[in-house]
Every structure is written in structure tokens, then in C-alpha cells.
Amino acid sequence: MQHDLIAQARTWLAEDPDPETRGELGALIEAGDTQELAARFAGTLQFGTAGLRGELGAGPMRMNRSVVIRAAAGLAAYLKAQGQEGGLVVVGYDARYKSEDFARDTAAVMTGAGLRAGVLPRPLPTPVLAYAIRHLGAVAGVEVTASHNPPRDNGYKVYLGDGSQIVPPADGEIAAAIAAVGPLADVVRPEDGWETLGDEVLAAYLARTDAVLAPGSPRTARAVYTAMHGVGTSVLTAAFERAGFPAPVLVAEQAEPDPAFPTVAFPNPEEPGAMDLAFATARRAAPDLVIANDPDADRCAVAVPDTATEGGWRMLRGDEVGSLLAAHLVERGVSGVFAESIVSSSLLGRIAEKAGLGYEETLTGFKWIARVDGLRYGYEEALGYCVDPEGVRDKDGITAALLVAELASVLKEQGRTLLDLLDDLALAHGLHATDQLSVRVEDLTVIADAMARLREQPPTALAGLAVTSAEDLSQGTDRLPPTDGLRYQLEGARVIVRPSGTEPKLKCYLEVVVPVAGAAGLPAARARGAELLAGIKRDLAAAAGI
């Protein structure tokens, strides 16, 4: 067994084109570190609907140039089998470790396979890549990013020519094509022949961002902005300047790209402590709101002044921002379909129904939301908002930030705030309070065991609320394809449990709806909502054994 492992590692080492990972793997072989080698050669990173994502390092279970070259070769073979020989593949990348190398390898493989490749001119937000695919008439797009994952991770996200991320069966067919790739020496990788795109694509994207705003709308809201050490600063500030908003006050420590993400434990605005520097900047600058992007700027977080919150600033939940933007678009008189994933708040459906608009619920991820017929607006509770589906068929943290700033400006002119509008929504539709129980694990069997336990012994009540229905979403429903998840309806609440598709986490999404008689009843409704959410979280954790 040990001999086989060493032989397997030596075979990989002989093919590895990267001096850095060759040195790393050579040292492990030399040291006879079979435990570490076993972890790296336990299989291969699985290509799925999120593409690839994993920790950087040598071996087939890590993200590295060998894995990326194979992925690119498989994608090229798939595209050619679909009759796309000679078609353009656009490649974008963020500022993480190895991102530029992975983008260049992808362009080389596409060129060698008889496709055309165009690489974005520098690290740019993921939505710029998603926009470029349709703008340039490409047959596919690749974004090298691990979004808001830890610093040592990277990833590989694939879009097809419609500008949306891949879904079944394409993901499985691409995975099969990757598995069929032979020795790396047989993958043709010329030194040049692809195009490095100019700033014209970025200029076209920025020109398009204006389309999300109403002509002549107020543009007075003042924002503090953090790019979370990612690639958002230059594009967001350019978009705000074009639109006529005051220049955002930047969180200086986090404004420039830095793959080490030195000021945060996790570069995700939702994680504890990630917004501390932004709030400190806001206490000095006294803006109307704080806006944060994640490192590839496809997500948008919002915080508002709140004297009732310690430190004076409160992060809005993704569901709150999602509902606020929906209410704003309704007020502007838009038409079309509003859509969200099943883990997001049911408030969106109530807003759409009252406005006489279409409404759709999809599986988790913008790969599904973006495919809804007639989509006008889509969101997901994990801080993702699609506010211009004709331009970007994916979540876009830049255009979402513009729309939030417009809404804050409209309310400011009225002497009101985003919190006032949230109160209005609670009075009109009931208080929709959401929370998440999220457990990060080292050992993935913990997640599998929790799901199995809940399937074998589903809870009958949570926080004293009776469970009125329990659905195993792996069976699919009349409206949803199968997915690994569980959905519980309770009297006045809803719970969904699922493994994360991009991180080693078990995620439980909780929502309670508390009726509100009038404005005077809002504090009591909020207290009741918080109490129920805490009880559901406690009882669900016990039921799942986590």
C-alpha cells in the first residue's frame, strides 16, 4: 500500500509543470510522509455544479496547475463535442494565489485545442466575466476564484455561452471529459496565441451598470466601502462615480487586493469580525450605510446605523437586503419575475404576490436562479443579488451596491432609513425573521452522519412548534429537481438543512413568521422571532447531533 502510494506520487511528480508544487511533493516523498500523501492522493477533486474548489497544493485532491490543465482540457473536449470548435472562451481571474497562472494555463489549453481564448486584462470581479461571455458572444467562460473561501483555497467556475453557471447534465458530461484526459504531456499548451482583452469589456460592463438605476433618481447616500482585500475597489468606485454618487470612503486596510487576507480570519462579510474595520471606519466617517463586497465582488453586504446595536452599526441579513431591493423595484414599477432559492426568506413571494408579479423558487445557487424564465430580479440569502439579469446572469455585488445606494438615497430624501422600510415590510406582510445554523467541519462524515440521523429520526417539534411536514429533497418535488437536503414546515416557521456545495459546512436555514398588529407591536414581534429562532437552532442541533 505504502509502495503504491509513493509510486502514485512519483508518477504525478513527473508530470507536474509547476516548480513550486513539484518541490512540495518531492519533499513529502523524500520524507516518506505517507499520511499527508494519502490525503492528497485519496481521489481527485470532484468537478460539479460549482466547478472545482479546494486547497492549493500538490496532488489530485488539491488545486494546482496539473488539476487545472486537466479541467481545461476536459472542458475543451466537451465544447468541441458540442460543435463549438473555434468558439471563444473568456477567462477571468481574481487576485488569489495562483489565479493568474491558472487563467494562463486555461487559455493555453483552449488555444491548443482549437478554440479561441480571451483573458481579462487583470484581476477583476466575477460579474465582469459573467457579463463578458454574452457581450463577446463566447461559447463558454471560466472564472478562477474561490470567492470568500480561506486564503489557501482557489477554485475554477465554469459558465456556458448563455452566461449562466453550468447545471446538470453539463457538469457531469464535463466531469467525464476531464476524467478521460490522458497524460498531461499529450495536452497541447502553446506559449501564446490567445488574446489578452483590453479595457473595452470593463468599459462596456460599467456602462451597463447605469441601467440598474432609475433615470433622475436621488444619488445622495454616502457609503463606507470595503473590498475585503479583493478585486472590487476600482470597479465599484468607478461605477459609483459614473452614477453620480458621492465617492465611497474606503476601508484603507482592506482596499487593495491581497491574497493573504491579513485583517480577517475568513474574507467573508458574514463571518464574525470580518466587518470590524469597516465599522471602525464608519464610526469616524458617519456615512449613511456601509457596503462590503466579498473578494471576487459577486456578493454584497450592507450595514446601517443602529443605536440599539453595540458599536452603533448593524449588519443586515441577506434576506433583509433581498426584501428591501425587491420592495424598491416594486416601487419603481418593474415587471417580470422575482426569484429566489428555497433557502431564502418567503417574504419575497409575498412581496411579489401583492405587486402582481411572477414568483419562482429554485434550488440553491445562481446557476438555477439565473435560468428562471422572465427573470427581473433574483436573490439568495448568502448576500447574492441579481439586479440586471439581461446584463449579468449571476449574482453581482457591484450593481447590487448601486441599487442599495439608490434606495438609501430615495429614503434619505424622505427623512427615512432602510430600517424604516424594513418596519413597513413587517407591518404589511408579518415579521419574517431568519437565521442560520452553520457548522464547519474537518471531517465530512460529521455532515453525512447528521443528514442520516435527521432522515432516520425527523424531529416532530422544534422550539415548541409542531413539524407539519418533512420533505426529503433528495427525492425531488413537483417543482424542484433532486438535491441533498431536508425541508421541514412548522406552524409559523420553516427549516431547511443541506450540506454546503462549496465549503466543508452543514447549513441549516431557519425562518419564522410572526404576525404584527401595528407599529407598537414590532418590538414584541422581534423579541418573539429571536426567541423562536434560538429555540429552533437549539433543538435542531440536538436532533442532528451537531
Side-chain angles (χ1 to χ4, degrees):
M1 175 65 187
Q2 184 174 331
H3 175 75
D4 290 348
L5 188 59
I6 297 291
Q8 198 179 355
R10 288 191 191 282
T11 301
W12 184 274
L13 180 67
E15 283 198 325
D16 191 339
D18 188 334
E20 191 176 328
T21 45
R22 269 208 315 271
E24 180 188 311
L25 186 55
L28 291 173
I29 294 170
E30 187 72 25
D33 190 343
T34 51
Q35 187 175 350
E36 183 62 25
L37 287 171
R40 290 163 182 250
F41 287 86
T44 57
L45 276 185
Q46 289 304 298
F47 185 92
T49 49
L52 294 168
R53 201 176 286 190
E55 187 179 343
L56 291 163
M61 287 296 288
R62 299 286 186 268
M63 282 295 295
N64 51 63
R65 290 183 60 198
S66 298
V67 165
V68 165
I69 290 166
R70 288 182 177 281
L75 175 59
Y78 167 82
L79 292 170
K80 289 166 72 175
Q82 300 291 315
Q84 306 287 9
E85 181 96 33
L88 173 67
V89 178
V90 192
V91 185
Y93 58 101
D94 67 10
R96 284 177 176 267
Y97 296 118
K98 296 286 181 183
S99 285
E100 190 170 2
D101 294 345
F102 295 167
R104 187 173 57 248
D105 282 332
T106 299
V109 170
M110 295 301 161
T111 304
L115 292 144
R116 292 180 296 125
V119 183
L120 292 181
R122 59 185 170 280
L124 286 168
T126 293
V128 177
L129 181 276
Y131 169 81
I133 294 164
R134 296 177 71 211
H135 177 67
L136 297 173
V139 298
V142 170
E143 176 70 16
V144 180
T145 181
S147 189
H148 55 275
N149 275 39
R152 286 299 303 167
D153 287 6
N154 213 327
Y156 198 81
K157 188 185 285 192
V158 176
Y159 299 75
L160 293 182
D162 63 355
S164 301
Q165 295 176 53
I166 52 168
V167 295
D171 59 340
E173 292 167 5
I174 295 169
I178 294 170
V181 174
L184 280 195
D186 295 345
V187 178
V188 180
R189 286 185 293 130
E191 292 294 316
D192 52 34
W194 57 89
E195 181 185 1
T196 299
L197 300 167
D199 277 340
E200 299 82 9
V201 171
L202 177 59
Y205 167 82
L206 283 168
R208 176 85 202 182
T209 59
D210 295 356
V212 306
L213 302 173
S217 63
R219 314 276 166 94
T220 55
R222 295 173 54 254
V224 157
Y225 171 72
T226 176
M228 208 65 67
H229 297 297
V231 298
T233 297
S234 62
V235 179
L236 182 130
T237 52
F240 270 56
E241 183 180 359
R242 279 185 63 96
F245 287 102
V249 176
L250 301 182
V251 178
E253 303 93 329
Q254 299 173 334
E256 294 304 314
D258 186 337
F261 302 107
T263 68
V264 291
F266 288 95
N268 176 355
E270 293 179 294
E271 293 282 349
M275 295 290 287
D276 287 357
L277 285 170
F279 293 156
T281 305
R283 284 190 282 275
R284 292 193 301 271
D288 299 301
L289 70 166
V290 171
I291 292 172
N293 286 141
D294 66 338
D296 68 328
D298 62 353
R299 287 173 168 82
C300 176
V302 180
V304 293
D306 184 3
T307 53
T309 302
E310 187 181 347
W313 283 85
R314 172 160 94 79
M315 267 281 283
L316 297 181
R317 301 193 68 83
D319 284 319
E320 291 177 313
V321 176
S323 301
L324 287 168
L325 291 179
H328 180 47
L329 291 170
V330 166
E331 186 66 25
R332 277 180 33 186
V334 303
S335 58
V337 177
F338 284 7
E340 64 181 341
S341 63
I342 56 172
V343 300
S344 305
S345 172
S346 59
L347 178 54
L348 184 70
R350 293 183 169 91
I351 292 170
E353 183 182 16
K354 188 171 182 181
L357 297 174
Y359 168 73
E360 289 286 338
E361 213 178 32
T362 74
L363 292 184
T364 311
F366 273 81
K367 57 184 176 277
W368 299 109
I369 294 170
R371 286 183 155 73
V372 168
D373 286 342
L375 180 68
R376 176 56 185 85
Y377 167 65
Y379 97 90
E380 190 155 74
E381 56 74 47
L383 311 182
Y385 313 94
C386 175
V387 300
D388 177 25
E390 287 305 304
V392 176
R393 290 191 178 175
D394 199 4
K395 54 187 177 294
D396 181 348
I398 305 295
T399 50
L402 284 173
L403 200 61
V404 168
E406 179 183 62
L407 172 57
S409 300
V410 169
L411 292 167
K412 186 178 180 180
E413 301 281 300
Q414 301 167 358
R416 304 174 75 235
T417 67
L418 295 174
L419 293 180
D420 292 327
L421 183 51
L422 284 174
D423 285 350
D424 292 351
L425 291 173
L427 291 171
H429 305 284
L431 178 77
H432 289 62
T434 59
D435 201 356
Q436 193 181 119
L437 171 61
S438 182
V439 183
R440 185 180 290 274
V441 301
E442 293 292 326
D443 180 1
L444 290 176
T445 61
V446 173
I447 294 176
D449 290 348
M451 294 297 289
R453 184 168 171 165
L454 288 170
R455 283 189 167 104
E456 287 160 16
Q457 295 178 295
T460 55
L462 297 168
L465 302 176
V467 175
T468 55
S469 75
E471 290 175 279
D472 187 341
L473 297 175
S474 66
Q475 308 300 311
T477 73
D478 56 347
R479 301 192 62 81
L480 297 170
T483 186
D484 186 11
L486 300 165
R487 177 162 58 183
Y488 304 111
Q489 300 290 349
L490 295 86
E491 292 173 353
R494 184 207 65 197
V495 173
I496 293 174
V497 184
R498 60 180 280 274
S500 169
T502 55
E503 298 176 271
K505 280 183 173 181
L506 181 68
K507 290 187 164 184
C508 311
Y509 305 85
L510 325 174
E511 178 177 44
V512 298
V513 182
V514 183
V516 188
L522 278 169
R526 288 214 165 84
R528 176 63 176 157
E531 178 192 352
L532 286 171
L533 288 171
I536 292 173
K537 197 183 282 194
R538 178 194 65 234
D539 293 353
L540 185 64
I546 52 178

